[in-house]
């Protein structure tokens, strides 16, 4: 594919994709707009505080060099990035809607003087433009940065709603029982619970309450890309530092079973992906019906 072809596909995805619009990424079925903006901003600050605290503790203990090699850390970093983009898009959309309402009210007030205005022939096209609603007269296409933010939010959402449950499952079922001293202080407990339990809670809350973001089966390849990049990082750590991030990457003990372990992980993620697809189909079918029924009940 030529460079021009790639640029065209990228441009079409950003500006001609009917699903890449603010209503699907910056609104909720049940949470009011301003409240959603406040919740996502607060969660972004919280996740950022956890991430910085975890990095500081690792650096203090001389383990900062391999901090970013753990899948748990990268998953929580992805969740933090997601809330960063989600906060931006939600706040921007809330501000845009507030501006439309304000300008709309001002336009209604200005329209009362239309009957007392001079003839159009004496004023020209400028009066006609100024008499239009401002949200129509001043409508501008979304910027490239804004559309990239929406696309990034979508990719992070679909990826880490799958990775977060995987991290929690593997940690609490396999790793935590063998490391009883890992949470030996209040700070360690807070960071451990935040990065291994709260991560899944936050993503499940996004799926069930906060988000209207769609899930598409055709995007499953994105997870393969993330997993392949992480596998490359894991063996980069082996080649450069001689450090195995997780024991099952060590060919000295697991040999050819490493490939089977990787396939098993992919199978688990595929199962979680299918479950998430079903949950999103159910969510996007039930919530609109519930809202419609609620509106009818309110009217009558």
């Amino acid at each position: 594919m030529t460079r021009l072809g790639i640029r065209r596909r990228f441009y079409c995805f950003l500006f001609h994709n009917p699903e890449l619009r603010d209503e699907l990424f910056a609104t909720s079925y049940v949470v009011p707009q301003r409240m959603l903006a406040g919740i996502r901003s607060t969660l972004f600050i919280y996740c950022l505080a956890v991430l910085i605290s975890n990095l500081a503790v690792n650096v203090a203990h001389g383990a900062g060099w391999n901090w970013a090699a753990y899948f748990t850390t990268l998953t929580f970093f992805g969740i933090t990035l997601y809330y960063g983009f989600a906060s931006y898009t939600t706040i921007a959309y809330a501000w845009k809607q507030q501006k439309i309402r304000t300008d709309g009210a001002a336009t209604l007030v200005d329209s009362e003087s239309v009957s007392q205005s001079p003839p159009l022939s004496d004023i020209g096209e400028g009066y006609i433009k100024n008499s239009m609603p401002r949200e129509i007269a001043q409508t501008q296409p979304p910027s490239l940065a804004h559309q990239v933010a929406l696309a990034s939010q979508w990719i992070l959402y679909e990826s880490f709603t799958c990775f977060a449950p995987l991290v929690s499952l593997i940690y609490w079922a396999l790793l935590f029982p063998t490391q009883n001293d890992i949470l030996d202080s209040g700070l360690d407990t807070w960071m451990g619970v935040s990065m291994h339990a709260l991560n899944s809670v936050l993503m499940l809350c996004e799926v069930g309450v906060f988000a209207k973001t769609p899930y598409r089966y055709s995007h499953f390849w994105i997870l393969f890309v993330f997993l392949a990049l992480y596998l490359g990082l894991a063996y980069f750590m082996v080649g450069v530092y001689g450090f195995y991030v997780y024991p099952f990457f060590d060919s000295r003990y697991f040999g050819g079973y490493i490939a089977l372990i990787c396939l098993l992980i992919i199978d688990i993620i595929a199962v979680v992906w299918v479950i998430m697809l079903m949950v999103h189909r159910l969510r996007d079918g039930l919530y609109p019906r519930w809202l419609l029924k609620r509106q009818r009940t309110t009217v009558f």
Side-chain angles (χ1 to χ4, degrees):
M1 184 180 295
T2 64
R3 181 180 300 180
L4 181 60
I6 295 175
R7 291 179 62 182
R8 284 179 176 175
R9 289 175 64 89
F10 181 69
Y11 180 86
C12 290
F13 175 77
L14 291 180
F15 293 97
H16 297 281
N17 189 340
E19 294 183 328
L20 201 63
R21 62 183 194 272
D22 289 322
E23 291 79 4
L24 293 179
F25 296 89
T27 62
S28 170
Y29 285 113
V30 295
V31 180
Q33 185 67 40
R34 292 184 179 180
M35 183 181 296
L36 181 64
I39 290 173
R40 284 178 166 174
S41 300
T42 302
L43 291 176
F44 169 64
I45 296 173
Y46 176 83
C47 291
L48 190 62
V50 173
L51 206 62
I52 294 175
S53 300
N54 186 257
L55 175 60
V57 169
N58 278 270
V59 170
H61 288 82
W65 61 275
N66 64 351
W67 173 78
Y70 288 96
F71 194 74
T72 298
T73 304
L74 294 177
T75 298
F76 203 79
F77 179 74
I79 294 173
T80 305
L81 274 182
Y82 166 78
Y83 275 112
F85 285 114
S87 299
Y88 160 73
T89 56
T90 308
I91 292 174
Y93 186 69
W95 178 82
K96 176 182 176 182
Q97 293 299 106
Q98 179 62 32
K99 186 174 184 298
I100 288 176
R101 287 192 294 266
T102 303
D103 291 351
T107 302
L108 290 176
V109 173
D110 293 341
S111 64
E112 295 179 359
S113 60
V114 170
S115 59
Q116 302 176 359
S117 61
L120 293 179
S121 58
D122 297 338
I123 299 178
E125 296 180 356
Y127 176 79
I128 299 176
K129 182 177 180 180
N130 293 330
S131 299
M132 295 171 61
R134 296 181 184 178
E135 65 272 19
I136 298 177
Q138 301 178 358
T139 297
Q140 297 179 355
S143 65
L144 176 62
H146 183 78
Q147 292 303 105
V148 169
L150 289 179
S152 301
Q153 181 181 341
W154 195 0
I155 292 173
L156 293 170
Y157 175 84
E158 290 184 317
S159 301
F160 293 100
T161 49
C162 284
F163 291 152
L166 178 68
V167 167
S168 298
L169 176 64
I170 292 179
Y171 178 78
W172 295 108
L174 300 178
L175 299 179
F176 180 73
T178 62
Q179 302 178 14
N180 295 325
D181 59 340
I182 195 169
L183 303 178
D184 55 358
S185 69
L187 181 61
D188 290 335
T189 301
W190 171 63
M191 292 187 300
V193 171
S194 295
M195 299 182 70
H196 298 99
L198 189 60
N199 58 340
S200 295
V201 173
L202 293 179
M203 289 292 95
L204 292 177
C205 286
E206 281 289 322
V207 171
V209 181
F210 300 145
K212 292 169 65 176
T213 308
Y215 234 69
R216 293 296 172 260
Y217 69 90
S218 58
H219 293 176
F220 186 62
W221 64 270
I222 297 175
L223 273 69
F224 276 102
V225 172
F226 277 122
L227 291 175
L229 290 175
Y230 181 74
L231 190 63
L233 174 63
Y235 282 102
F236 171 81
M237 297 296 293
V238 175
V240 176
Y241 299 103
F243 172 73
Y244 288 92
V245 181
Y246 297 106
F248 52 78
F249 285 141
D250 194 343
S251 59
R252 295 173 298 178
Y253 301 103
F254 290 90
Y257 291 104
I258 294 178
L260 293 177
I261 294 173
C262 292
L263 288 176
L264 178 61
I265 293 175
I266 293 175
D267 290 339
I268 294 174
I269 291 179
V271 171
V272 176
W273 177 269
V274 172
I275 293 174
M276 285 296 176
L277 277 174
M278 297 172 62
V279 169
H280 280 75
R281 297 295 186 273
L282 186 65
R283 182 200 69 183
D284 295 336
L286 291 180
Y287 268 133
R289 295 177 185 175
W290 174 73
L291 291 174
L292 182 60
K293 183 178 179 181
R294 184 180 179 184
Q295 289 176 357
R296 290 176 177 175
T297 304
T298 304
V299 171
F300 293 103

